[in-house]
């Protein structure tokens, strides 16, 4: 056995951040070997890959998250022709089944970003598991209370997210079609296979290259994720900087933990969502509520590394 592999197997603590990047079969073997010695392998949960081989538990074209594999297991993924993402790992389906056994036996412990994900993991394991909520902090969150240079808005609504169906990109485009009286900014080049309405504006930009200023300037920021998104950087930054932020209300997602009045919660039905936006055209969150939330979110999450280092599952 290579020295580094032996060192990992025998290490007092091992925390896995992105299991898809490691190779599922290798990771399954690592968990099993450590478990035989009574050691726990910790998994920091960044997405839904612990039960969904697509990682983003959303079926293309549907308006909402998919939880079928929580109930039916990999048979549901097979029925819907799901493929492992972001890496095509042939062991992914087997690993999901094996991970349930590891969770039930206590060989794996989970750090989650939200309480909703802790509940998802309990549903996945169908019983008690080792799982604790620790939150999330990224470099992008260091500027939550910064004011960016003022620029003129280029649209009425800005979609804040990458071009991915699970992130709500196509849903946002359908919303633009349902609201021809408003212009929608999409911060990317228009995909070649997308038929966009005339009120959709596509401009390639990143947070550090124009998007931050537009999120601050455009009247409404849309973060319509359709999977069980935990703490998304796009949503946190939008709450902090946008005049108003709208989300799609999905169960088990981070938006469930937000106080009422901080974001505008839309239904997944595009036509009903359009009607809600028209009724709430002038809605804005209370500045005091937003400031209070930013401070409480920062206090709860900024010391995440210390919390991870100081606490173990034994």
């Amino acid at each position: 056995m290579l020295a580094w592999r032996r060192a990992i197997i025998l290490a007092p603590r091992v925390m896995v951040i992105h299991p898809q990047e490691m190779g599922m079969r290798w990771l399954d073997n690592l968990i099993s070997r450590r478990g035989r010695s009574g050691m726990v392998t910790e998994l920091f949960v960044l997405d839904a890959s612990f039960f969904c081989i697509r990682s983003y538990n959303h079926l293309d074209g549907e308006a909402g998250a998919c939880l079928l594999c929580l109930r039916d297991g990999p048979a549901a993924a097979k029925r819907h022709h799901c493929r492992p993402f972001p890496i095509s790992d042939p062991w992914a389906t087997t690993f999901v089944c094996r991970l349930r056994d590891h969770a039930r036996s206590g060989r794996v412990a989970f750090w989650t970003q939200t309480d909703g994900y802790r509940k998802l993991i309990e549903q996945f394991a169908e019983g008690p598991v080792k799982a604790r909520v620790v939150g999330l902090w990224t470099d992008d969150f260091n500027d939550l209370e910064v004011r960016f240079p003022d620029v003129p808005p280029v649209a009425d609504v800005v979609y804040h997210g990458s071009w991915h169906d699970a992130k709500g990109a196509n849903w946002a485009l359908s919303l633009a079609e349902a609201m021809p009286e408003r212009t929608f900014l999409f911060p990317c080049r228009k995909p070649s296979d997308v038929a966009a309405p005339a009120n959709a504006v596509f401009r390639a930009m990143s947070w550090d290259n124009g998007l931050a200023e537009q999120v601050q300037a455009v009247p409404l920021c849309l973060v319509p994720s359709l999977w069980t998104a935990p703490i998304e950087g796009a949503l946190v930054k939008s709450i902090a900087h946008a005049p108003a932020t709208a989300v799609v209300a999905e169960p088990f997602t981070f938006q469930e933990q937000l106080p009422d009045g901080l974001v505008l919660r839309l239904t997944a039905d595009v036509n009903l969502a359009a009607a809600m936006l028209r009724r709430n055209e002038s809605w804005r969150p209370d500045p005091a509520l937003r400031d209070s939330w930013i401070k409480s979110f920062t206090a709860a999450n900024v010391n995440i590394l210390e919390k991870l280092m100081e606490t173990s599952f034994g």
Side-chain angles (χ1 to χ4, degrees), residues 284-298:
R284 298 290 183 271
D286 184 295
L289 175 63
R290 173 163 38 199
D291 291 346
S292 174
W293 181 82
I294 291 172
K295 287 179 172 57
S296 63
F297 177 83
T298 299

Side-chain angles (χ1 to χ4, degrees), residues 148 151 158-160 185 187 205 207 210-222 234 237-245:
F148 301 117
V151 299
V158 56
Y159 165 76
H160 191 181
L185 170 63
M205 58 178 66
W207 184 255
L211 180 56
E213 289 79 4
Q214 285 301 315
V215 166
Q216 181 179 270
V218 172
L220 178 68
C221 186
L222 192 62
K237 292 185 291 186
S238 297
I239 292 170
H241 299 291
T245 300

Side-chain angles (χ1 to χ4, degrees), residues 6-294:
R6 180 175 178 82
I8 294 175
I9 292 171
L10 299 178
R13 290 187 68 184
V14 170
M15 183 181 299
V16 178
I17 304 295
H18 249 300
Q20 306 97 313
E21 306 271 344
M22 302 183 68
M24 300 298 202
R25 189 167 193 168
W26 183 89
L27 180 56
D28 177 38
N29 183 56
L30 173 69
I31 293 169
S32 297
R33 297 191 68 165
R34 286 176 54 80
R36 286 197 290 269
S37 300
M39 291 185 287
V40 177
T41 301
E42 301 170 27
L43 180 61
F44 191 100
V45 180
L46 290 172
D47 52 37
S49 60
F50 63 93
F51 74 89
C52 171
I53 62 172
R54 299 182 67 154
S55 297
Y56 294 141
N57 57 314
H58 169 75
L59 297 175
D60 293 345
E62 295 197 358
C66 174
L67 299 174
L68 291 176
C69 285
L70 277 181
R71 183 190 67 204
D72 300 340
K78 185 175 182 179
R79 285 200 308 272
H80 290 278
H81 308 289
C82 296
R83 295 290 181 267
F85 176 86
I87 294 174
S88 182
D89 189 332
W91 194 259
T93 300
T94 301
F95 179 76
V96 168
C97 298
R98 295 277 295 157
L99 187 62
R100 178 180 277 112
D101 293 336
H102 291 319
R104 289 170 175 170
S105 69
R107 291 188 292 270
V108 170
F110 300 86
W111 294 102
T112 71
Q113 301 173 44
T114 64
D115 192 56
Y117 258 61
R118 183 189 60 78
K119 293 174 182 176
L120 279 176
I121 288 168
E122 289 180 348
Q123 286 193 26
F124 166 69
E126 299 177 335
V129 292
K130 295 177 178 179
R132 292 176 181 159
V133 179
V134 70
L136 183 73
W137 190 262
T138 72
D139 289 344
D140 285 349
F141 297 164
N142 291 329
D143 295 331
L144 294 182
E145 298 185 80
V146 169
R147 176 79 185 178
F148 301 117
D150 290 327
V151 299
V154 300
D156 301 310
V157 180
V158 56
Y159 165 76
H160 191 181
S162 58
W163 189 268
H164 195 294
D165 199 56
K167 298 277 188 178
N170 287 302
W171 187 91
L173 197 63
S174 295
L175 184 64
E177 291 179 319
M179 303 186 72
E181 74 278 11
R182 297 199 194 181
T183 51
F184 284 67
L185 170 63
F186 293 86
C188 61
R189 292 184 177 87
K190 187 177 81 69
S192 59
D193 60 343
V194 167
N199 61 329
V201 179
F202 287 84
R203 291 192 183 179
M205 58 178 66
S206 65
W207 184 255
D208 296 319
N209 185 28
L211 180 56
E213 289 79 4
Q214 285 301 315
V215 166
Q216 181 179 270
V218 172
L220 178 68
C221 186
L222 192 62
V223 190
S225 285
L226 300 176
W227 65 294
T228 54
I231 298 177
E232 289 184 295
L235 178 53
V236 173
K237 292 185 291 186
S238 297
I239 292 170
H241 299 291
T245 300
V247 300
V248 174
E250 281 293 307
F252 301 106
T253 57
F254 176 55
Q255 61 82 25
E256 282 192 321
Q257 298 185 193
L258 302 177
D260 290 340
L262 186 63
V263 298
L264 189 60
R265 292 182 171 95
L266 304 176
T267 176
D269 184 292
V270 169
N271 292 319
L272 293 178
M276 292 175 68
L277 287 178
R278 291 187 179 104
R279 289 196 305 270
N280 292 275
E281 184 173 0
S282 61
W283 176 85
R284 298 290 183 271
D286 184 295
L289 175 63
R290 173 163 38 199
D291 291 346
S292 174
W293 181 82
I294 291 172

